[in-house]
Amino acid sequence: MIWLGIETSNAPLSVAIVRDGEVLSEIVQNTKSTHSVTCMPTIEEVFRKTNLKPVDIDAVAVSEGPGSYTGLRIGVTIAKTLSWTLKKPLVGISSLKVLASNVELFDGIICTMFDARRKNVYAAVYKGKELKTIIPEHHGSLEELLQQLKEYQETIMFVGSDVKKFKEEIQSVLGEQAKFAPPSLNLPRASKLIELAEKEPLPTLEMVHSFVPKYHRLAEAEANWLKAHQKEQKG
Amino acid sequence: MENLILAIETSCDETAASVIRNGNEILSNVVASQIDSQKRFGGVVPEIASRHHVEQITVVIEEALEKASIVPSDLDAVAVTEGPGLVGALLIGINAAKAFAFAHGLPIIGVHHIAGHIYASALVEPMKFPLLALVVSGGHTELIYMKEHGSFEVIGETRDDAAGEAYDKVARVLNLPYPGGPHIDRMAHEAKKGVDFPRAWLEDTYDFSFSGLKSAVINYKHNLEQRGQSIVPEEVAKGFQDSVVEVLTTKTIKAAKELGVKQVIVAGGVSANRGLRESLSKALEQEGIPFTAPPLSLCTDNAAMIGACAAYMFEAGVRSDLSMNGLPGKELKSWSNTDDKLR
């Protein structure tokens, strides 16, 4: 079984081809380049390096969000177009879980997060080893999340390249309870994405058309419209 | 010319795909409009547009291939709108086009949206050079001179609002639903007389200006309201449309005569406007200059026009690659090799 994995949910980019659990080729980069420019050439590169053709793959895995809206759309658009036109199933995996799997051997609590601006984060919390979800992926305030985490009274490993922006605040609430992953583990890897995707049941091909990123937030205009509309209905 | 092209267009709020044979035959032309969603906001919200494109993109491409009864291996190239447009929206079409082209080993061609609008006319009848194109839409008002295929020279453009933008803004003043253009056109036809609004002639140039006219409409409404009177919307619509149409028609005729063109083309969303078509058609008939106005389905954003344009680019050897990016402010450049200066 040959997998193509695509991860563009935030600034880093990763693409991998994995055959029967063996990583054949993987590219991880953190160059702040535009995914729209680099993603397809990077995919072409991993195919070239592995001497494989697009038709050779059996399934596609993509990081489905949360993250940067534009980044997610580029990865998902490429993944769903390849999946649809090559008639191979598409599996979406939480971008927060992909990142958590970098430190899955850690025997404690794992918290992954992305900056969502205005002191908000996209975050999720898992239990190490099995990556059991403790706090599901969500969009919310960093402060609330830290207060929740404080109650666990266990060591918490923070993972993600945005974590350094919040390091002071995290330490002021959690003190010694907080540990931070080394920089090399803060970048998402498409091979880890594929490992997680392999554990999921393969969706039918009909599911590809309706596949969309999980933004975890409405567009601002949509949220405002709903608010106004609900007021109207209430009278 | 023999080629078969899959074209994709997502520059604004229509997700579109089409299959075009030999640059003039439409095998399929699929457009998924977001208008029902976007009219809630009184205009196109870029983030919402991008989200809808991701939902629709593979469905629309599949339908275009199925309606054309072709498989990917029949194709010679994949074409896509590279710009100008909303960047987040452009990126969906571009990345889908690149992924599709890569999957099937096809070349990819990035097309300028306005060149596409002009080439919509090639789907109606062969283009006769030199020609003059009046491109009028929500984002553009331009007079473009073409000496031959692939040669573009912008000889006039708007200095402020695009004609379609002015229509949308005046429609809002008149409390008309989005998009306002068709409503103003209809009301203008129902009115017996129009309010006398100014014309922005801008002497000795083919450039346009519509922001003064828009302000005149707003001031007219305010002045009447301050005196406790209310406007007659139909008369305002007619007065506004008469001003826009007269300036567009007069400048187009003047340029067509001075440049000695063999054909005038009107293109872009606002070219669906009945008042503008009638005026241009009448004036050009008097001058004896052939006039082409594509059917309405080819005036608003569509992928067939992108495919028609790409067919000529394909013949000329124009190619993009997998690093193609969305260019929201893409310039209209010639692809023909000859010097594109006037005369």
Side-chain angles (χ1 to χ4, degrees):
Chain A
M1 176 105 175
I2 303 177
W3 284 82
L4 170 68
I6 303 168
E7 155 62 81
T8 61
S9 61
N10 289 277
L13 168 75
S14 184
V15 174
I17 291 182
V18 172
R19 182 168 59 202
D20 302 329
E22 293 277 333
V23 182
L24 298 187
S25 179
E26 177 172 41
I27 293 173
V28 182
Q29 61 184 42
N30 187 28
T31 57
K32 306 275 183 288
S33 55
T34 312
H35 292 323
S36 176
V37 173
T38 49
C39 190
M40 274 313 301
T42 308
I43 291 172
E44 188 184 34
E45 196 179 332
V46 293
F47 274 99
R48 199 173 55 239
K49 284 176 167 165
T50 52
N51 271 321
L52 291 168
K53 292 189 292 294
V55 288
D56 295 333
I57 58 167
D58 300 299
V60 180
V62 70
S63 199
E64 67 184 3
S68 133
Y69 295 167
T70 302
L72 288 174
R73 279 194 286 266
I74 290 169
V76 166
T77 299
I78 290 172
K80 83 187 260 197
T81 304
L82 289 175
S83 168
W84 157 70
T85 195
L86 294 167
K87 299 186 173 61
K88 312 290 176 180
L90 173 62
V91 177
I93 298 291
S94 156
S95 46
L96 288 160
K97 197 167 186 183
V98 172
L99 205 47
S101 71
N102 275 351
V103 296
E104 64 192 335
L105 298 178
F106 174 69
D107 196 4
I109 289 174
I110 301 166
C111 175
T112 52
M113 60 171 65
F114 308 129
D115 186 6
R117 289 194 282 261
R118 294 180 212 159
K119 300 218 163 177
N120 287 328
V121 288
Y122 298 107
V125 180
Y126 307 90
K127 182 87 183 116
K129 306 274 187 190
E130 303 279 297
L131 287 190
K132 201 176 133 252
T133 306
I134 303 178
I135 300 176
E137 48 192 80
H138 65 284
H139 171 261
S141 90
L142 175 64
E143 206 188 324
E144 267 175 49
L145 174 69
L146 294 176
Q147 291 305 330
Q148 268 180 289
L149 288 172
K150 206 175 171 181
E151 287 168 21
Y152 286 108
Q153 298 179 337
E154 258 186 87
T155 310
I156 297 155
M157 175 77 80
F158 286 87
V159 194
S161 33
D162 287 344
V163 168
K164 57 179 180 286
K165 296 185 196 171
F166 308 117
K167 197 167 177 179
E168 259 178 48
E169 202 173 341
I170 292 170
Q171 280 176 324
S172 78
V173 178
L174 297 172
E176 289 296 302
Q177 205 186 336
K179 296 274 179 267
F180 299 92
S184 61
L185 297 180
N186 280 333
L187 298 180
R189 311 189 75 100
S191 57
K192 299 301 287 182
L193 159 69
I194 293 170
E195 262 177 24
L196 293 170
E198 281 179 316
K199 293 177 191 154
E200 299 294 320
L202 286 178
T204 60
L205 289 176
E206 287 74 51
M207 302 298 284
V208 174
H209 283 319
S210 56
F211 192 98
V212 287
K214 289 193 174 145
Y215 301 104
H216 286 278
R217 265 187 98 182
L218 289 173
E220 207 177 331
E222 184 104 43
N224 292 340
W225 182 84
L226 280 174
K227 223 191 272 173
H229 208 69
Q230 277 158 0
K231 258 186 216 155
E232 252 170 52
Q233 280 185 336
K234 279 178 196 158
Chain B
M1 180 164 76
E2 269 187 38
N3 58 43
L4 190 64
I5 290 179
L6 167 69
I8 298 168
E9 144 74 40
T10 62
S11 68
C12 190
D13 62 341
E14 325 270 10
T15 316
S18 165
V19 177
I20 297 294
R21 181 185 279 150
N22 306 339
N24 60 13
E25 190 188 343
I26 304 175
L27 300 191
S28 63
N29 186 19
V30 180
V31 182
S33 173
Q34 306 176 359
I35 211 158
D36 286 338
S37 170
Q38 300 283 5
K39 72 181 179 194
R40 293 178 297 167
F41 313 111
V44 178
V45 179
E47 175 59 24
I48 308 265
S50 303
R51 290 187 181 199
H52 285 311
H53 285 311
V54 183
E55 289 162 18
Q56 293 294 328
I57 190 71
T58 54
V59 180
V60 168
I61 302 174
E62 181 173 85
E63 198 181 327
L65 294 174
E66 278 174 1
K67 281 195 172 155
S69 300
I70 63 138
V71 291
S73 58
D74 299 332
L75 292 165
D76 290 298
V78 181
V80 65
T81 307
E82 193 176 12
L86 301 171
V87 66
L90 289 166
L91 289 179
I92 306 307
I94 289 170
N95 282 287
K98 291 198 291 188
F100 186 92
F102 172 69
H104 304 291
L106 293 166
I108 180 157
I109 301 171
V111 178
H112 192 283
H113 183 75
I114 295 305
H117 271 305
I118 297 172
Y119 272 84
S121 72
L123 297 166
V124 180
E125 57 182 317
M127 294 159 92
K128 292 181 279 288
F129 299 101
L131 67 75
L132 181 69
L134 171 67
V135 181
V136 270
S137 72
H140 304 271
T141 308
E142 282 158 26
L143 272 171
I144 294 161
Y145 176 78
M146 288 182 73
K147 194 171 60 180
E148 60 188 331
H149 278 298
S151 160
F152 306 94
E153 187 167 350
V154 179
I155 60 164
E157 61 195 325
T158 183
R159 293 183 179 174
D160 39 63
D161 290 351
E165 212 176 337
Y167 265 92
D168 284 341
K169 286 175 181 170
V170 167
R172 235 169 280 162
V173 173
L174 298 179
N175 295 320
L176 299 171
Y178 172 85
H183 294 286
I184 293 185
D185 193 20
R186 178 182 45 79
M187 287 163 70
H189 275 82
E190 287 164 3
K192 293 221 165 53
K193 62 182 171 96
V195 179
D196 188 20
F197 289 122
R199 273 92 175 119
W201 292 114
L202 310 176
E203 297 303 321
D204 300 322
T205 171
Y206 292 124
D207 282 354
F208 304 99
S209 167
F210 296 105
S211 71
L213 172 61
K214 173 196 68 191
S215 302
V217 173
I218 294 169
N219 290 340
Y220 173 79
K221 188 185 177 202
H222 283 177
N223 286 342
L224 280 189
E225 281 172 353
Q226 271 174 357
R227 281 184 265 145
Q229 298 168 299
S230 55
I231 55 165
V232 181
E234 286 76 11
E235 292 179 1
V236 173
K238 181 168 167 54
F240 167 76
Q241 173 144 315
D242 284 351
S243 172
V244 173
V245 167
E246 189 182 336
V247 173
L248 289 175
T249 304
T250 306
K251 293 215 175 205
T252 304
I253 301 291
K254 185 162 180 262
K257 279 163 70 179
E258 270 184 26
L259 297 166
V261 299
K262 296 203 172 100
Q263 184 187 17
V264 170
I265 288 168
V266 66
V270 180
S271 66
N273 185 288
R274 222 169 6 134
L276 178 61
R277 283 180 176 235
E278 283 164 7
S279 167
L280 280 171
S281 162
K282 207 171 129 197
L284 285 161
E285 200 184 314
Q286 275 173 8
E287 298 295 337
I289 303 170
F291 173 56
T292 304
L296 302 191
S297 61
L298 296 176
C299 287
T300 46
D301 288 352
N302 65 87
M305 67 185 198
I306 301 301
C309 185
Y312 289 90
M313 296 172 79
F314 182 80
E315 286 301 300
V318 182
R319 302 287 185 273
S320 307
D321 62 36
L322 292 180
S323 67
M324 187 201 298
N325 198 5
L327 303 175
K330 184 177 164 70
E331 265 183 71
L332 181 59
K333 284 197 196 125
S334 300
W335 72 72
S336 64
N337 291 322
T338 48
D339 174 22
D340 53 13
K341 285 272 173 293
L342 274 178
R343 274 174 286 260

